[in-house]
Amino acid sequence: MEINRVRQILSSSADIDVEYQGAAVWIDDISEDGLTATVHLRGPLEQRTIVPVRDLHEIS
């Protein structure tokens, strides 16, 4: 995913479906350099993980 789209998703009030390695995730934040994002799985687990932005995929 491109960094500009990640920024749009973060600023949106809409529920936008995003996946990382086949798992549905919420994007919590992006790094200052725009190369990584902090995400957590959708659901009861709140464990956060830092992942490459390029590996995030929007589900249409």
Side-chain angles (χ1 to χ4, degrees), residues 3-59:
I3 188 63
N4 288 336
R5 184 59 183 143
V6 173
R7 286 188 178 113
Q8 289 172 348
I9 290 170
L10 282 171
S11 65
S12 175
S13 62
D15 185 7
I16 300 169
D17 293 326
V18 176
E19 284 188 347
Y20 172 69
Q21 295 185 342
V25 297
W26 288 105
I27 302 172
D28 299 313
D29 199 9
I30 53 174
S31 64
E32 286 186 26
D33 63 11
L35 297 177
T36 60
T38 304
V39 302
H40 70 272
L41 291 175
R42 288 182 178 238
L45 298 177
E46 293 286 325
Q47 181 177 354
R48 286 167 168 66
T49 305
I50 297 174
V51 301
V53 167
R54 70 176 180 274
D55 293 344
L56 295 171
H57 302 281
E58 185 174 355
I59 306 304

